[in-house]
Amino acid sequence: MAQYSRLEVANVMKETGMVPLFYHSDVSIAKKVLKACYDGGARLMEFTARGDFAFEIFGELVKYAQSDLPGMILGVGSITDAGAASLYMQLGANFVVIPVFREDIAKVCNRRKVLWSPGCGSLTEIAQAEEFGCEVVKLFPGGIYGPDFVKAIKGPCPWTNIMPTGGVSPTEENLSAWFNAGVYCVGMGSKLISKEIIAKEDYKGLQQKVTETLDLIKKLRG
């Protein structure tokens, strides 16, 4: 079961400003990536459940985080149906990220008061998600919509919390555009946790990159 309420998760998303996202089929590598992000200052991780038996790896990561990484909030991404959402919540998912807006997933997450973040691409979808209790909307793919889309949404709906994923990179130019537009936080995958880092097992380098990115976000927020 989730160890953190949806409001606690939403607050950490806001405080840190970044949710790293990652998947690997080797649990030992996944643990090293998780620890590097944790040591770098990240306190959230979205495990993108895209492979066979991904739930087994996720379960091991949750146990590892609970025993060795106090304060690390693990969630799951790429969830497409209520059954999968329920399975991962039973394994300890503290938040559920969805590529699209689905009412069935909203309902099972709301029953357990677990934060869910659906991928939305229009103001109508965002409004529908918020009517179902969504705290943080995922803008996906973020690179297609861009910061100007966020600005346009925040004008009439300043209460909307937006997390772009896809098209986000750990550079000052990119992050300043997003945060100046008013994003709540950003989701960052391969631009942060690259295939090169994994191939070279450069976990110290990853730790440093996470620290630098979090420091940059803090600076941009003033």
Side-chain angles (χ1 to χ4, degrees):
M1 301 298 288
Q3 300 294 307
Y4 299 88
S5 73
R6 58 187 172 192
L7 293 179
E8 287 174 321
V9 175
N11 285 336
V12 175
M13 285 180 171
K14 184 177 182 180
E15 288 167 8
T16 62
M18 181 177 72
V19 181
L21 48 119
F22 173 75
Y23 170 77
H24 202 284
S25 59
D26 186 324
V27 68
S28 64
I29 291 175
K31 284 181 178 179
K32 290 173 183 176
V33 169
L34 181 62
K35 187 175 190 306
C37 289
Y38 179 83
D39 290 342
R43 287 300 177 265
L44 298 127
M45 170 68 81
E46 175 192 328
F47 179 77
T48 53
R50 296 176 180 173
D52 292 339
F53 305 106
F55 67 93
E56 295 180 355
I57 299 165
F58 182 76
E60 289 302 311
L61 289 179
V62 170
K63 293 174 186 176
Y64 173 61
Q66 289 180 356
S67 63
D68 290 41
L69 310 175
M72 190 61 172
I73 301 173
L74 268 177
V76 64
S78 300
I79 297 301
T80 56
D81 61 82
S86 295
L87 171 62
Y88 279 94
M89 284 190 287
Q90 289 295 329
L91 290 170
N94 292 286
F95 61 95
V96 176
V97 182
I98 317 160
V100 297
F101 169 56
R102 289 187 58 106
E103 294 182 12
D104 59 337
I105 296 177
K107 288 177 181 178
V108 296
C109 290
N110 284 340
R111 286 191 193 114
R112 295 169 175 80
K113 296 188 178 180
V114 169
L115 183 141
W116 56 282
S117 182
C120 296
S122 71
L123 185 52
T124 297
E125 285 184 322
I126 291 171
Q128 289 175 334
E130 289 177 330
E131 287 171 1
F132 274 80
C134 177
E135 298 287 346
V136 181
V137 173
K138 173 182 176 178
L139 180 63
F140 180 77
I144 301 298
Y145 295 95
D148 284 344
F149 181 87
V150 177
K151 283 183 184 178
I153 295 299
K154 294 288 286 185
C157 304
W159 54 81
T160 295
N161 299 323
I162 299 175
M163 174 180 67
T165 302
V168 181
S169 59
T171 66
E172 185 164 0
E173 181 183 10
N174 183 274
L175 290 173
S176 63
W178 285 114
F179 281 97
N180 286 339
V183 298
Y184 189 77
C185 63
V186 295
M188 206 179 308
S190 60
K191 299 292 186 181
L192 180 72
I193 309 168
S194 67
K195 290 181 180 179
E196 183 181 9
I197 283 175
I198 303 304
K200 293 182 177 179
E201 299 187 49
D202 185 15
Y203 301 114
K204 281 293 182 183
L206 174 57
Q207 177 183 334
Q208 182 63 29
K209 197 171 184 179
V210 169
T211 299
E212 290 172 354
T213 304
L214 290 171
D215 287 344
L216 177 56
I217 290 171
K218 186 176 181 180
K219 171 190 165 186
L220 292 170
R221 284 174 155 178

